[in-house]
Amino acid sequence: MYAVLSSIFLNEQLNVHGKIGCILSILGSTVMVIHAPQEEEVSSLESMAEKLKDPGFIVFAVCVLVSSLLLIFVAGPRYGQSNVLVYVLVCSAIGSLSVSCVKGLGIALKELFSGKPVLKEPLAWVLLVCLVICISTQINYLNKALDIFNTSVVTPIYYVLFTTAVMMCSAILFKEWQHMVLDNIIGSISGFLTIVSGIFLLHAFRDMPFTPTLLPLFLQPGRADPHPPWSSADRHQSCQHQPLLPSEDKGSQSAEEEEEKVPVPACAAQ
């Protein structure tokens, strides 16, 4: 959708590879969402706090923060102007944490409206501060990516990476993958590989022009057939198919009449 809107309002065009990459990315994300496991129900801040204290989620959050800092301070100054994945990866990784914060704040608001003293809970304020920091970082680096690169390239890649990061975070935080059946596992892996293929087409061939001259000859519009039809070849016979001497069984008079009837080829006349 973003690629279509950017091509309409910003006059930014995608080549054939980019359009195929967008389609593959959307299809892969759809397959992953269809085969995604159901979230484990979390109904209170106490249960949410227990989820956040899980060692698996703590390791995931630390990895996200460390990788984001490396991308911002190490990879950003070197490759941020030439590689679209640098800033988009920062937005996607931080965005996965922001979704978890939104989940916790939603539970806090639900308890607040039910009359519980949520404002005295430190976890609610911690989640609010983390959400503000994550969203600010996310918007900042997404705008940087949009200022440097084509909108029709940035938005599909960001959508796909953000969706993948959120699903990974939810799977680790809420233990969604423990009760998955085999067909859902295969569907999720297939969707992820489809997403990777779409991102590769979007990123690797984004500056490659696709013109009709790159098509095979028989698909190029207005291109003459390199092999002329047999009818035209019959009309213009070569010299090697013309008799050099008249046949011996005919007389001289018949030979002269035959020569008058048969037109002389242009190559023989020369």
Side-chain angles (χ1 to χ4, degrees):
M1 179 60 70
Y2 289 111
V4 174
L5 293 177
S6 64
S7 64
I8 294 175
F9 296 104
L10 302 178
N11 295 324
E12 296 178 349
Q13 300 297 327
L14 279 176
N15 54 15
V16 176
H17 304 89
K19 294 176 182 178
I20 296 174
C22 287
I23 294 173
L24 289 177
S25 301
I26 294 173
L27 289 177
S29 301
T30 304
V31 171
M32 287 193 69
V33 171
I34 291 174
H35 293 279
Q38 297 294 326
E39 289 187 1
E40 185 177 344
E41 185 66 26
V42 179
S43 57
S44 63
L45 282 180
E46 289 78 9
S47 58
M48 187 66 185
E50 294 297 327
K51 298 292 183 183
L52 295 175
K53 293 177 183 178
D54 185 77
F57 178 75
I58 292 175
V59 172
F60 173 79
V62 171
C63 291
V64 167
L65 293 176
V66 172
S67 60
S68 300
L69 291 176
L70 291 176
L71 288 172
I72 292 172
F73 296 106
V74 178
R78 296 182 182 180
Y79 310 107
Q81 301 294 323
S82 59
N83 197 324
V84 68
L85 292 178
V86 176
Y87 293 140
V88 175
L89 281 173
V90 174
C91 300
S92 303
I94 299 298
S96 64
L97 297 180
S98 65
V99 171
S100 302
C101 295
V102 169
K103 177 73 174 179
L105 286 176
I107 297 172
L109 289 175
K110 182 180 178 180
E111 292 187 350
L112 179 63
F113 292 146
S114 62
K116 295 183 179 180
V118 178
L119 297 179
K120 298 180 180 180
E121 295 286 340
L123 179 60
W125 296 103
V126 171
L127 292 174
L128 180 61
V129 172
C130 292
L131 179 62
V132 172
I133 295 174
C134 290
I135 291 179
S136 301
T137 306
Q138 205 173 341
I139 294 176
N140 181 29
Y141 286 97
L142 181 60
N143 288 331
K144 284 187 176 182
L146 292 174
D147 291 338
I148 299 171
F149 302 100
N150 197 327
T151 307
S152 58
V153 174
V154 173
T155 48
I157 295 177
Y158 171 66
Y159 165 74
V160 171
L161 292 180
F162 176 75
T163 304
T164 305
V166 169
M167 292 187 66
M168 290 177 58
C169 180
S170 299
I172 295 173
L173 182 60
F174 300 107
K175 303 293 188 300
E176 299 173 346
W177 292 71
Q178 291 183 353
H179 305 288
M180 285 185 66
V181 295
L182 182 61
D183 57 346
N184 287 333
I185 294 175
I186 296 175
S188 299
I189 295 175
S190 301
F192 179 76
L193 294 178
T194 307
I195 289 172
V196 171
S197 302
I199 292 176
F200 176 78
L201 287 176
L202 273 170
H203 181 57
F205 302 102
R206 70 180 188 273
D207 297 326
M208 180 179 178
F210 190 85
T211 60
T213 57
L214 298 177
L215 293 172
L217 293 178
F218 66 92
L219 293 177
Q220 295 182 12
R223 186 66 179 264
D225 191 356
H227 303 289
W230 290 105
S231 58
S232 61
D234 293 337
R235 288 196 298 267
H236 304 285
Q237 297 180 356
S238 60
C239 298
Q240 61 182 357
H241 297 291
Q242 299 298 329
L244 299 178
L245 295 174
S247 58
E248 297 178 356
D249 56 349
K250 294 182 180 181
S252 59
Q253 184 177 0
S254 62
E256 292 177 357
E257 294 176 357
E258 191 70 16
E259 289 177 359
E260 292 176 358
K261 293 179 180 179
V262 178
V264 180
C267 57
Q270 293 177 358

